[in-house]
């Protein structure tokens, strides 16, 4: 299920770049739960690159979102699939949004709870996430996960304030 071969793959360096971005360094090719594996790999990457500065967090989120939309749309077009299971760049964007406004370094309890909350919202897709999923191309692939990440971020901040 996770290893979906492209139906048309031009052998250009740009296509390899988009496949690398869209699959988050190949983690989307996992044969077992590619979305969860992509989320875990994304969490590890985020742990190392997440900035302390809130303005930089927002700028990076916008940049990653734009790149994910673009690369995911190209990979979806190459595979002739609306939302290929190998594309997990949307999970990266959602996970990044989950940890917005948290200080560095991220605490292990926040990382685990954030991962769980994001996966719940990503699978559940409460409004408006399920509506955004119907958008064309990379927008429909990525924006629903961005909303799931924002829901997860909200609950994670509440949990950190009240429980952790």
């Amino acid at each position: 299920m996770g290893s979906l071969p492209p139906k048309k793959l031009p052998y250009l360096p740009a296509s390899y770049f988009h496949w690398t971005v869209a699959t988050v360094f190949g983690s989307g090719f996992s044969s077992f739960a590619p979305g969860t594996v992509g989320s875990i790999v994304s969490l590890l990457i985020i742990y190392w690159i997440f900035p302390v500065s809130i303005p930089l967090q927002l700028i990076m989120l916008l940049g990653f979102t734009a790149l994910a939309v673009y690369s995911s749309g190209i990979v979806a077009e190459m595979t002739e699939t609306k939302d290929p299971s190998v594309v997990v760049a949307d999970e990266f964007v959602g996970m990044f949004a989950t940890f917005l406004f948290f200080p560095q370094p991220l605490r292990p309890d926040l990382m685990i709870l954030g991962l769980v909350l994001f996966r719940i919202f990503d699978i559940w897709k409460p409004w408006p996430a399920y509506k955004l999923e119907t958008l064309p191309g990379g927008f429909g692939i990525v924006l629903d996960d961005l909303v799931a990440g924002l829901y997860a971020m909200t609950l994670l901040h509440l949990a950190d304030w009240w429980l952790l």
Side-chain angles (χ1 to χ4, degrees):
M1 178 172 156
S3 56
L4 179 72
K7 293 183 180 173
K8 53 182 179 177
L9 176 61
Y11 293 99
L12 303 171
S15 66
Y16 292 117
F17 172 78
H18 294 301
W19 277 89
T20 301
V21 168
T23 64
V24 183
F25 299 102
S27 62
F29 287 108
S30 169
S31 59
F32 175 76
T36 300
V37 171
S39 296
I40 292 168
V41 170
S42 296
L43 180 59
L44 297 174
I45 294 168
I46 289 165
Y47 178 79
W48 292 106
I49 68 166
F50 205 71
V52 175
S53 160
I54 289 174
L56 189 54
Q57 289 177 12
L58 294 171
I59 290 167
M60 288 176 73
L61 178 62
L62 288 173
F64 289 141
T65 301
L67 182 60
V69 165
Y70 186 61
S71 292
S72 298
I74 288 174
V75 169
E77 187 178 307
M78 283 189 218
T79 60
E80 298 175 356
T81 308
K82 179 165 175 42
D83 190 353
S85 63
V86 297
V87 172
V88 293
D90 51 338
E91 270 74 16
F92 182 88
V93 168
M95 288 296 294
F96 198 92
T98 299
F99 296 105
L100 282 178
F101 313 121
F102 278 101
Q104 282 300 98
L106 290 171
R107 298 188 332 247
D109 58 341
L110 287 176
M111 292 171 64
I112 293 167
L113 183 56
L115 174 68
V116 170
L117 287 172
F118 171 70
R119 291 304 297 150
I120 288 169
F121 283 112
D122 185 28
I123 293 165
W124 178 21
K125 297 201 186 314
W127 184 90
Y130 72 89
K131 286 283 194 187
L132 294 172
E133 199 175 32
T134 63
L135 292 173
F139 290 101
I141 295 170
V142 175
L143 294 184
D144 65 312
D145 285 40
L146 176 60
V147 169
L150 294 174
Y151 281 133
M153 178 219 25
T154 303
L155 281 185
L156 191 59
H157 277 283
L158 289 172
D160 186 38
W161 188 44
W162 285 96
L163 305 172
L164 305 177

